[in-house]
Amino acid sequence: IGWFSAFLAHFVKDDLAVSTIQIDNSALKKQRGTIHLADVIEALEHEYVSPHEHIAQIMELLCGLELCVPLDETSFLFPCLLPHLSPCIELLDEGFLNISDVSAVRGHRFRESSGFIPPGLFLGLVARLFQRLAPGTMEPTRMWKDCAVLFLNNKSTRVLLRCDLDESIIDVVGMAPSSEQIFVGAAKGQASIVIWIVHLIKMFLRNYSQLKFDEAWLCTNPECHASRDGRYSYHGSEFPLLSRATSKKSKAHDCDAEGCQRFLGVGHSLDLMQLSCHEPCTTCGKSQVFRLRDVIDD
């Protein structure tokens, strides 16, 4: 970790000015965490005589640790160098979240019970998802240190991932013009995209067994997910969840072998949650119907 911090210091310092590469705030924002291999070698020359001889092994190590992901043969994405999403209005200005066209919303919230989420946790999650989900699902232009927007179903379905360290929460919010478009999977209507992404997050969180996350569903009314003062925000109720008994199969579950990143296999059915209570949202007053099939049948 100390070596990696020193390595990054060659690219970004508090004053955003370094000896090998000059980066101002606007340039860093445009760069969006993308570093070319030649710049990596140049930075390593401060510590090593001939870094080019071992650059392949070094980058393989960093990718294996999910500190970066390859974009092509000559560039890598370092999530830790992504800009913060500030202000959140960027999501609306760039058209990443077309809230006005949304009629189906499903949301899942993870809240760390002690009030602490390590700053690098979300960055590692972003790196894993970027590397393993289908190409085009995530792009650097739709990623920040604390937020990412996923495109699915020919871009008609959007999934917002966001992390608030102050509130110690990670949100997964799926939005689509219709309930049918939130479904993904090998079999038609297998499960919602939110359930699949939540499953992938839970598998990732196994690396943080010392942390305890409480889970909740978010209001299904799009009005509780609308913009407020020009910014995207959630202002509905949280509906606490209880975990059902975990099957033995889930403990030996391998997402790569099962094809979970392509929404195949049984991943969506593992570690199912159930509501601890059935009450309307205290903000909008609407009763909740969380099962998508119930909505479609209606």
Side-chain angles (χ1 to χ4, degrees):
I1 297 299
W3 170 85
F4 184 62
S5 298
F7 164 71
L8 289 180
H10 292 297
F11 294 95
V12 179
K13 289 186 177 180
D14 291 339
D15 59 359
L16 297 176
V18 297
S19 58
T20 56
I21 303 173
Q22 298 297 320
I23 305 177
D24 60 23
N25 194 41
S26 60
L28 182 62
K29 185 175 180 179
K30 293 178 181 178
Q31 189 171 319
R32 303 200 70 85
T34 300
I35 300 295
H36 294 288
L37 191 61
D39 293 332
V40 174
I41 295 174
E42 182 180 354
L44 291 174
E45 287 177 345
H46 290 259
E47 307 291 339
Y48 301 95
V49 176
S50 302
H52 60 277
E53 296 179 2
H54 306 286
I55 190 62
Q57 296 95 319
I58 291 173
M59 299 314 298
E60 183 179 357
L61 171 64
L62 292 178
C63 291
L65 293 173
E66 296 177 328
L67 297 172
C68 68
V69 293
L71 296 176
D72 51 44
E73 294 182 356
T74 61
S75 60
F76 293 79
L77 172 68
F78 286 81
C80 58
L81 296 179
L82 286 167
H84 285 282
L85 180 59
S86 180
C88 295
I89 196 171
E90 284 184 64
L91 293 177
L92 306 179
D93 286 347
E94 300 297 333
F96 295 142
L97 295 178
N98 298 319
I99 299 173
S100 60
D101 299 330
V102 168
S103 63
V105 175
R106 292 298 182 274
H108 194 109
R109 172 165 288 178
F110 294 88
R111 184 183 295 276
E112 211 289 314
S113 58
S114 71
F116 172 72
I117 294 180
L121 186 150
F122 187 74
L123 299 176
L125 173 63
V126 166
R128 175 173 295 190
L129 294 178
F130 184 90
Q131 192 163 209
R132 300 187 183 184
L133 292 177
T137 304
M138 302 177 71
E139 294 290 347
T141 55
R142 294 183 266 112
M143 297 166 59
W144 298 263
K145 279 187 176 180
D146 47 1
C147 179
V149 179
L150 286 59
F151 283 6
L152 299 103
N153 294 333
N154 294 321
K155 300 183 179 181
S156 64
T157 303
R158 311 291 172 91
V159 179
L160 172 66
L161 301 180
R162 57 178 179 176
C163 179
D164 188 326
L165 295 180
D166 294 333
E167 297 291 332
S168 64
I169 59 174
I170 297 174
D171 284 347
V172 184
V173 183
M175 305 178 182
S178 67
S179 297
E180 290 87 347
Q181 289 172 293
I182 290 186
F183 278 120
V184 292
K188 185 177 181 181
Q190 188 179 47
S192 80
I193 181 60
V194 172
I195 289 178
W196 273 111
I197 297 298
V198 165
H199 166 67
L200 296 176
I201 292 176
K202 287 183 177 182
M203 295 300 103
F204 176 81
L205 291 178
R206 287 185 174 185
N207 299 324
Y208 294 86
S209 58
Q210 68 275 29
L211 302 179
K212 182 181 182 301
F213 285 89
D214 298 320
E215 299 177 49
W217 283 336
L218 305 181
C219 181
T220 60
N221 182 2
E223 293 180 3
C224 286
H225 298 264
S227 62
R228 174 177 288 180
D229 299 328
R231 297 168 180 258
Y232 177 86
S233 65
Y234 175 72
H235 41 273
S237 296
E238 294 182 21
F239 300 88
L241 297 172
L242 300 175
S243 179
R244 298 178 184 175
T246 304
S247 66
K248 293 182 179 180
K249 187 174 182 179
S250 67
K251 295 181 180 179
H253 176 72
D254 185 339
C255 284
D256 292 329
E258 293 278 356
C260 295
Q261 291 83 10
R262 297 299 185 269
F263 316 127
L264 305 172
V266 300
H268 70 285
S269 63
L270 300 178
D271 193 25
L272 295 177
M273 310 295 289
Q274 59 186 3
L275 284 172
S276 61
C277 62
H278 297 267
E279 297 179 353
C281 175
T282 57
T283 300
C284 66
K286 291 191 176 182
S287 298
Q288 302 297 301
V289 180
F290 291 103
R291 293 186 71 251
L292 288 166
R293 287 183 178 84
D294 292 342
V295 176
I296 293 173
D297 292 341
D298 292 342

